[in-house]
Amino acid sequence: MRRIRANAIAILTVAWILGTFYYLWQDSKPQSAAASSSSSASQTRRGHGQKAAVPGRLEIIHRDDRTIPLIVTQPPHSEQNQNQQLGSFDEKSYLSAKQLKPGDDPYREHAFNLQESDRLGGERAIRDTRHYRCAALNYDADLPSTSIIITFHNEARSTLLRTIKSVLMRSPPSLIQEIILIDDFSSDPEDCQLLTQIPKVRCLRNGRREGLIRSRVRGASSASASILTFLDSHCEVNADWLQPMIQRVKEDHTRVVSPIIDVISLDNFAYLAASADLRGGFDWSLHFKWEQIPIEQKMARNDPTQPIRTPVIAGGIFVMDKSWFNHLGQYDTHMDIWGGENFELSFRVWMCGGSLEILPCSRVGHVFRKRHPYDFPEGNALTYIKNTRRAAEVWMDEYKQYYYSARPSAQGKAFGSITDRLTLRRKLNCKPFRWYMENVYPELRVPEQEAVSSVLKQGGLCLETRGTDGLGLAECRGIGGSRPQSQRWELIEPLIRQQDLCLAISAFTAGSKVKMEPCNTKEPRQKWKPKGPALQHMVSGLCLDSQTPTGPLVISQCRPQMASQSWEPQIIT
Ligand code: LR7
Ligand code: MN
């Protein structure tokens, strides 16, 4: 008995010593090797990781004279596995064929620090930036596979290769049907061609510069998987990035989903976590911006892994069902080079029956730049105006006036024919932009309009105020500037205004009297809109009615053809 116990202790001691040696050996391996052999968060979770990767564990990685803090938790596949994944591709010669010459400006060609990017090589470990609760989520075992579509024009070889390798390293292989590269007429065809030695990678080269919109449509048309995944050519995908997105699209094919886009520094290529409280927004000049989730939504979020509804997507990184992409009309292929297509797609998805969301458990890094490193054959400003003008003209209805006031230079600039896109919008029976404003992006304020005064005429009479809050019809007095204040109205939707007072109903039922009260845009009793020649109260649906010229003003069932409900605004000059 005692001998058995002694043997057991000896075996345990040997195992412990071996284990310690193994652990130390692991830690002292060079960075890239350590990264590729350390287990992913998901493997650890499933209990067959080699060395428990502590989420959030900080490792200081020394490279040359600089120290870069990185948190190492991935990639998930073994080094051998990765070599298999690269097939006959010779990474070293691919990268070394294009080296920065001593003395060259490392920012010149790509608007990021090429020297730093090249130094990192084809892969590296990055921090798992997700909320820790994401690692515990489960996804269907039978998720459909996806075609990855990456369009590029003169991308640096190291950033392009890292995009591809990060996809192969950090995605379950069964989910990657293929990686389609669209070489948008880059100077060196080999940048793309050589990469086809990597299994699953295909290359389509444009015979002339097309821009990212037509290139993506070309890529999507040749995709064989049922789900499309778009990426920019300078990304690094993070742990378990793909499963959350495919899961959401599998559950509802009308969802178009994006990851949180982390920041890869254009100077030192550090991988930085982006805030998880942001969504996509824009201003009236159609300038994209990240903005805080509205406070009510933020308060209601008790689960940080839940999707975030977003009015627009940044545009470069998203997953969409292929049939849905085709059904909704792919992209507007009359848009050139860069810009505007993300608004067009976002408006179209929301207004034609789909939705857009950002999934916090999916993270993809992107190198954000301050300038375009490539030329625009028609010029940068003109191209952006053409593309955004097309988006505004097709989708923004009467709200396009705010786009033109914010971007006066857009007026009169050529934007081509939009007949096909208008037909598409009609065919798809899409909702009006007003619906989008009210339901998807109510936070976007309509600019204060310059007040235009009018008289409101009914027959030969004019609507006027009497006393403190009374109203009635009276003979129209004065002309132009000499009109009395009591007959001057400002129609600023949804208000019907006279100085600081606004037309309001006293109750929501037919026959209720109408009076004047201090203006408040949020007050439902003061909201009106034109309905033919009539003025309809937006909430009750009833119309402003004079009944008889002498009687009090009320609201009654709308019959816009009736004389007592007809109000003709005449602008006072
Ligand atoms: O002529 C061109 N042909 C191309 O193939 C011009 C560009 N491209 C490629 C280019 O190589 C890159 O892969 O198109 C992609 C996007 O171009 P970038 O990276 O120069 O532009 P960007 O990162 O500023 O682009 C953002 O806005 C664009 C508007 O048209 C697109 O929607 C991009 O996909 C989008 N990128 C992202 O959303 C990533 C997150 C950035 C943000 C915000
Ligand atoms: Mn980009």
Side-chain angles (χ1 to χ4, degrees):
M1 193 58 188
R2 203 181 277 169
R3 247 179 86 171
I4 293 171
R5 199 184 297 160
N7 276 347
I9 290 172
I11 289 167
L12 280 176
T13 312
V14 171
W16 181 75
I17 291 169
L18 285 175
T20 310
F21 270 112
Y22 181 69
Y23 185 88
L24 290 174
W25 172 71
Q26 284 281 307
D27 249 12
S28 62
K29 276 167 92 179
Q31 185 243 318
S32 65
S36 26
S37 60
S38 67
S39 59
S40 73
S42 59
Q43 275 178 322
T44 311
R45 198 168 70 236
R46 289 173 203 127
H48 37 85
Q50 301 161 355
K51 182 180 89 179
V54 186
R57 179 178 132 177
L58 190 72
E59 305 215 342
I60 304 293
I61 293 164
H62 298 276
R63 275 198 290 108
D64 302 337
D65 53 342
R66 284 152 312 107
T67 300
I68 298 178
L70 288 172
I71 298 177
V72 181
T73 52
Q74 60 206 299
H77 303 288
S78 72
E79 204 174 342
Q80 195 188 1
N81 209 336
Q82 276 170 46
N83 289 338
Q84 276 165 10
Q85 282 180 353
L86 288 190
S88 61
F89 177 68
D90 182 352
E91 174 173 325
K92 257 204 191 111
S93 69
Y94 179 75
L95 292 177
S96 61
K98 291 251 179 88
Q99 290 279 304
L100 197 69
K101 287 175 203 75
D104 280 359
D105 173 1
Y107 289 85
R108 194 181 57 86
E109 244 185 294
H110 302 285
F112 56 65
N113 188 342
L114 181 63
Q115 194 176 356
E116 276 307 305
S117 177
D118 286 353
R119 204 200 292 259
L120 288 173
E123 68 179 81
R124 61 153 162 179
I126 48 172
R127 204 184 116 195
D128 181 348
T129 48
R130 295 172 298 169
H131 191 278
Y132 71 91
R133 272 164 57 184
C134 295
L137 297 181
N138 290 313
Y139 305 101
D140 294 356
D142 61 343
L143 288 176
S145 68
T146 181
S147 297
I148 310 272
I149 297 167
I150 303 170
T151 169
F152 69 94
H153 175 71
N154 288 340
E155 184 59 68
R157 286 188 172 193
S158 49
T159 37
L160 180 58
L161 182 59
R162 269 200 306 281
T163 309
I164 296 167
K165 283 190 78 177
S166 71
V167 168
L168 293 172
M169 279 156 47
R170 301 199 184 102
S171 318
S174 63
L175 293 190
I176 307 294
Q177 168 79 22
E178 60 193 341
I179 299 179
I180 303 175
L181 304 176
I182 302 95
D183 170 2
D184 190 12
F185 201 53
S186 303
S187 322
D188 182 357
E190 291 216 321
D191 289 352
C192 190
Q193 218 26 261
L194 289 171
L195 292 169
T196 59
Q197 288 159 4
I198 303 174
K200 296 191 183 179
V201 176
R202 297 169 44 202
C203 168
L204 305 172
R205 180 173 162 85
N206 291 340
R208 58 165 192 201
R209 178 87 176 280
E210 298 286 357
L212 70 93
I213 297 116
R214 287 191 288 278
S215 302
R216 280 192 197 150
V217 169
R218 182 173 178 205
S221 307
S222 88
S224 59
S226 64
I227 291 187
L228 306 173
T229 300
F230 296 94
L231 283 178
D232 268 15
S233 48
H234 32 255
C235 292
E236 282 167 72
V237 304
N238 211 320
D240 295 342
W241 70 294
L242 195 54
Q243 297 94 314
M245 295 200 279
I246 295 191
Q247 178 82 43
R248 287 294 284 178
V249 173
K250 181 194 168 196
E251 284 165 7
D252 177 349
H253 74 282
T254 66
R255 288 176 187 148
V256 176
V257 301
S258 273
I260 291 184
I261 303 174
D262 284 334
V263 177
I264 301 174
S265 159
L266 67 107
D267 295 311
N268 62 14
F269 277 76
Y271 187 103
L272 308 164
S275 160
D277 290 333
L278 300 177
R279 63 175 195 175
F282 58 91
D283 61 23
W284 287 108
S285 69
L286 291 186
H287 172 82
F288 176 86
K289 59 182 184 192
W290 298 106
E291 62 181 32
Q292 290 290 325
I293 303 172
I295 188 75
E296 322 80 64
Q297 282 176 42
K298 213 176 194 166
M299 307 277 269
R301 275 176 72 79
N302 42 24
D303 177 358
T305 68
Q306 283 303 301
I308 298 165
R309 271 164 57 96
T310 184
V312 290
I313 51 170
I317 309 175
F318 63 97
V319 175
M320 186 166 181
D321 181 274
K322 189 173 65 186
S323 334
W324 185 235
F325 179 76
N326 289 334
H327 175 77
L328 284 188
Q330 303 174 324
Y331 271 120
D332 178 352
T333 49
H334 287 99
M335 290 187 176
D336 302 324
I337 306 297
W338 178 98
E341 92 295 341
N342 54 329
F343 297 113
E344 197 272 341
L345 178 74
S346 301
F347 298 159
R348 187 152 44 89
V349 167
W350 276 116
M351 290 162 62
C352 311
S355 61
L356 295 176
E357 52 192 37
I358 295 172
L359 304 183
C361 288
S362 178
R363 295 257 182 176
V364 173
H366 169 261
V367 186
F368 286 82
R369 296 182 282 206
K370 297 195 185 99
R371 65 171 172 90
H372 298 286
Y374 40 75
D375 64 306
F376 286 68
E378 315 272 314
N380 183 345
L382 273 185
T383 307
Y384 199 72
I385 282 176
K386 175 183 172 186
N387 294 354
T388 51
R389 224 188 138 174
R390 291 183 69 84
E393 285 289 340
V394 176
W395 296 102
M396 289 171 73
D397 303 331
E398 70 271 23
Y399 291 83
K400 72 184 178 195
Q401 61 171 304
Y402 305 123
Y403 162 79
Y404 288 114
S405 350
R407 219 179 249 281
S409 61
Q411 256 145 4
K413 297 270 159 54
F415 64 97
S417 162
I418 51 168
T419 320
D420 291 356
R421 299 306 281 181
L422 289 172
T423 310
L424 171 81
R425 181 173 168 179
R426 215 170 309 117
K427 200 187 79 201
L428 291 173
N429 201 9
C430 307
K431 298 188 183 85
F433 198 76
R434 175 192 288 279
W435 174 89
Y436 174 87
M437 289 293 293
E438 284 168 5
N439 296 279
V440 181
Y441 202 10
E443 295 76 19
L444 178 61
R445 304 283 7 137
V446 168
E448 283 273 320
Q449 283 152 299
E450 241 174 73
V452 180
S453 295
S454 327
V455 287
L456 281 170
K457 275 191 152 176
Q458 187 168 94
L461 302 176
C462 279
L463 180 67
E464 73 169 16
T465 48
R466 287 173 192 157
T468 45
D469 64 355
L471 285 152
L473 276 173
E475 199 183 318
C476 300
R477 284 177 288 130
I479 39 159
S482 73
R483 295 272 190 197
Q485 200 53 258
S486 62
Q487 292 188 355
R488 286 168 174 263
W489 297 92
E490 280 154 16
L491 305 170
I492 306 173
E493 259 197 78
L495 302 179
I496 301 177
R497 196 174 173 133
Q498 192 171 92
Q499 291 174 304
D500 296 331
L501 298 180
C502 282
L503 199 68
I505 58 168
S506 49
F508 291 84
T509 46
S512 303
K513 278 195 189 144
V514 175
K515 55 175 183 150
M516 297 300 288
E517 63 176 33
C519 295
N520 175 1
T521 3
K522 295 223 171 80
E523 174 51 62
R525 287 180 294 105
Q526 297 182 10
K527 294 191 174 182
W528 302 86
K529 65 175 184 200
K531 184 179 176 135
L535 289 169
Q536 183 179 35
H537 180 253
M538 279 161 71
V539 185
S540 66
L542 301 168
C543 282
L544 183 66
D545 198 326
S546 66
Q547 297 176 306
T548 60
T550 46
L553 254 70
V554 296
I555 40 169
S556 59
Q557 203 197 335
C558 288
R559 280 182 295 259
Q561 66 285 3
M562 260 177 33
S564 64
Q565 288 190 7
S566 157
W567 305 94
E568 186 196 342
Q570 242 171 40
I571 292 174
I572 300 166
T573 45

